[in-house]
């Protein structure tokens, strides 16, 4: 039995105010083409189907189209809500969707009931566990000692131990301790929302969502598949992929990945303004990729963002790396502020902005201006 593991579609997401909807449709079409060439027996969608609890209408239509395409291929779909989703909205119509073998996690109200599938090796149970918070679990089991996210997950899994005679898959959306994070994720400070990977030991495979980097946590079969697209520049060096999981006899799990190619890559580029606007350097390159450009010019280039977007229309972010930005100096440190003269304050500010000190003539003029302002204040 073979599954495609997807998560964190974040349909409707905007990156640096650029809509990702066209790119998301493009990558979903690519995933459908993969399924046509590499047939599977089901699709696991591990949460964050949308980017917001109240998604834009275009995002809802895109998910509707994707699920319809999967249903037309007679593929069972196992989907859960993530922390970005509204559990109520994701669960809407769940009973009707089951008729098309699209199984959606309900709003959390207790231990998940396994959905059985069968093949030549016997029964495989799929458990759908939406994103959990401790308060949700305390509401269901008020007498259980649930204080942390780890307590909450442990409590739920105690109430739905997998049948040892069956193979089992858990679809979940949590932050597992020890996993690597990206800038585009929402993880609590200090890792207070983390759970222990050992809680999943009874399951043959755990299809995780929440973190955007493809990775295993502990054993190979506890896995984040990652996002199908890059959603932050901290992911620029990653290679996104589709994760396929194949089950044989109990305990036999094979995991493979197939690269995904985006409509527009998300890349980081650096150089001087003259280098980046020289046709010899950019001709033949993917100038319409989503870019973070770092200029190395010592002087700020007037209207650089607009001028660069003539060549690089999807320039998302522009920074400088030069003497001024590297120094990152504090103009008025509290311990020195009282001993610095007004001219020294202004001189430090001028150098921070212009990467060069005041000339003697400029300093004399500023000093004269400061004295005149000071005198007017005394006379007032």
């Amino acid at each position: 039995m073979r599954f495609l593991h997807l998560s964190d579609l974040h349909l409707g997401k905007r990156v640096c105010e650029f809509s990702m909807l066209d790119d998301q449709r493009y990558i979903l079409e690519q995933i459908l083409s993969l399924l046509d060439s590499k047939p599977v027996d089901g699709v696991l969608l591990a949460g964050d189907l949308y980017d917001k609890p109240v998604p834009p209408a275009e995002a809802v239509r895109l998910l509707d189209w994707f699920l319809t395409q999967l249903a037309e291929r007679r593929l069972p779909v196992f989907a859960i809500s993530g922390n970005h989703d509204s559990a109520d909205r994701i669960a809407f119509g769940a009973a009707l969707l089951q008729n098309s073998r699209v199984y959606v996690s309900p709003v959390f109200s207790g231990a998940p009931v396994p959905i059985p599938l069968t093949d030549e090796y016997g029964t495989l149970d799929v458990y759908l566990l939406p994103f959990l918070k401790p308060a949700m679990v305390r509401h269901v089991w008020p007498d259980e000692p649930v204080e942390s996210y780890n307590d909450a997950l442990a409590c739920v899994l105690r109430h739905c131990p997998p049948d040892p005679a069956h193979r089992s898959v858990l679809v979940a959306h949590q932050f597992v301790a020890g996993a690597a994070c990206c800038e585009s994720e929402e993880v609590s400070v200090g890792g207070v929302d983390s759970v222990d990977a050992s809680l999943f030991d009874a399951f043959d495979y755990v299809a995780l969502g929440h973190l955007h980097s493809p990775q295993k946590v502990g054993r190979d079969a506890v896995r984040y598949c990652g996002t199908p697209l890059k959603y932050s520049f901290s992911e620029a060096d990653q290679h996104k992929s589709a994760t396929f999981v194949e089950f044989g006899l109990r305990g036999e799990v094979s995991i493979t990945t197939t690269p995904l190619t985006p409509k527009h890559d998300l890349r980081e580029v650096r150089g001087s303004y003259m280098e980046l606007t020289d046709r010899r350097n950019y001709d033949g390159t993917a100038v319409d990729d989503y870019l973070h450009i770092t200029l190395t010019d010592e002087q700020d280039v007037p209207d650089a963002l607009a001028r660069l977007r003539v060549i690089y229309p999807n320039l998302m972010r522009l920074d400088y790396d030069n003497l001024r930005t590297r120094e990152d100096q504090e103009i008025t440190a509290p311990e020195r502020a009282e001993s610095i003269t007004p001219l020294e304050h202004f001189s430090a500010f001028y150098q921070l902005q212009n990467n060069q000190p005041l000339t003697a003539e400029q300093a004399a003029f500023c000093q004269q201006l400061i004295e005149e302002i000071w005198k007017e204040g005394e006379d007032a």
Side-chain angles (χ1 to χ4, degrees):
M1 195 174 298
R2 195 162 181 260
F3 291 89
L4 170 65
H5 173 192
L6 295 174
S7 78
D8 296 88
L9 303 181
H10 286 280
L11 299 182
K13 187 173 184 64
R14 301 181 71 86
V15 178
C16 299
E17 298 309 312
F18 282 69
S19 171
M20 294 288 105
L21 272 169
D22 286 345
D23 299 80
Q24 290 170 334
R25 186 179 184 94
Y26 180 91
I27 210 70
L28 292 179
E29 289 173 344
Q30 189 174 138
I31 289 168
L32 291 171
S33 296
L34 269 179
L35 293 177
D36 292 336
S37 61
K38 297 184 175 184
V40 297
D41 300 292
V43 176
L44 311 173
L45 289 177
D48 280 357
L49 309 182
Y50 296 122
D51 190 55
K52 295 180 179 179
V54 183
E58 297 86 354
V60 176
R61 287 195 290 268
L62 184 55
L63 181 61
D64 176 69
W65 168 82
F66 184 54
L67 293 178
T68 301
Q69 291 294 313
L70 293 175
E72 286 179 355
R73 288 165 171 77
R74 300 186 182 280
L75 289 174
V77 178
F78 305 90
I80 63 170
S81 55
N83 60 303
H84 279 250
D85 298 313
S86 161
D88 293 278
R89 287 182 172 85
I90 295 297
F92 175 78
L96 291 173
L97 287 171
Q98 283 189 28
N99 294 330
S100 298
R101 302 180 75 196
V102 176
Y103 303 95
V104 180
S105 63
V107 176
F108 181 75
S109 60
V113 177
I115 303 165
L117 302 172
T118 57
D119 64 3
E120 66 269 30
Y121 298 108
T123 301
L124 183 148
D125 293 327
V126 180
Y127 295 78
L128 301 181
L129 187 63
F131 176 67
L132 286 179
K133 292 183 178 180
M136 300 175 183
V137 179
R138 286 195 296 266
H139 179 75
V140 177
W141 292 289
D143 297 329
E144 293 273 8
V146 175
E147 299 297 332
S148 65
Y149 279 77
N150 199 73
D151 294 339
L153 183 62
C155 176
V156 174
L157 296 183
R158 280 198 303 271
H159 287 85
C160 62
D163 187 332
H166 296 175
R167 295 160 297 167
S168 57
V169 174
L170 176 68
V171 186
H173 192 93
Q174 304 291 154
F175 172 38
V176 181
C181 305
C182 297
E183 290 177 358
S184 54
E185 300 153 359
E186 292 183 3
V187 180
S188 296
V189 176
V192 296
D193 57 351
S194 66
V195 300
D196 196 323
S198 64
L199 296 177
F200 303 123
D201 285 350
F203 293 90
D204 291 277
Y205 184 77
V206 183
L208 290 168
H210 192 34
L211 300 187
H212 293 183
S213 304
Q215 59 191 295
K216 66 176 183 178
V217 190
R219 61 190 174 104
D220 289 345
V222 178
R223 186 170 182 82
Y224 289 101
C225 62
T227 53
L229 289 172
K230 301 174 185 179
Y231 288 136
S232 74
F233 287 103
S234 65
E235 302 167 60
D237 294 331
Q238 291 183 12
H239 300 285
K240 300 299 185 178
S241 59
T243 299
F244 293 90
V245 189
E246 189 163 357
F247 297 87
L249 292 168
R250 192 174 193 286
E252 295 179 355
V253 181
S254 174
I255 302 165
T256 58
T257 59
T258 300
L260 294 173
T261 304
K263 183 177 183 179
H264 304 103
D265 199 3
L266 187 144
R267 298 187 291 117
E268 293 186 301
V269 177
R270 64 182 286 123
S272 70
Y273 179 81
M274 293 301 294
E275 290 170 339
L276 296 177
T277 55
D278 187 332
R279 183 179 293 274
R280 292 170 297 181
N281 292 331
Y282 68 76
D283 224 11
T285 68
V287 294
D288 61 343
D289 279 349
Y290 295 120
L291 297 180
H292 170 204
I293 289 180
T294 301
L295 291 178
T296 56
D297 302 83
E298 287 299 327
Q299 300 295 325
D300 288 3
V301 179
D303 206 19
L305 184 64
R307 292 163 69 179
L308 285 167
R309 277 181 176 163
V310 174
I311 301 170
Y312 308 101
N314 292 324
L315 170 55
M316 287 183 162
R317 179 175 165 186
L318 179 65
D319 287 322
Y320 283 86
D321 181 13
N322 54 29
L323 181 62
R324 170 173 59 85
T325 59
R326 285 194 297 271
E327 283 182 349
D328 193 27
Q329 63 191 46
E330 295 182 6
I331 297 175
T332 54
E335 65 275 12
R336 298 177 59 233
E338 292 183 2
S339 63
I340 296 176
T341 67
L343 180 60
E344 288 173 328
H345 276 294
F346 185 80
S347 297
F349 176 77
Y350 181 89
Q351 181 157 348
L352 182 66
Q353 293 298 309
N354 298 281
N355 299 325
Q356 59 186 10
L358 288 169
T359 65
E361 184 180 359
Q362 288 171 326
F365 175 79
C366 290
Q367 182 61 39
Q368 181 182 353
L369 186 62
I370 290 168
E371 289 174 357
E372 289 176 359
I373 294 172
W374 185 266
K375 187 175 185 303
E376 287 177 3
E378 288 183 332
D379 293 342

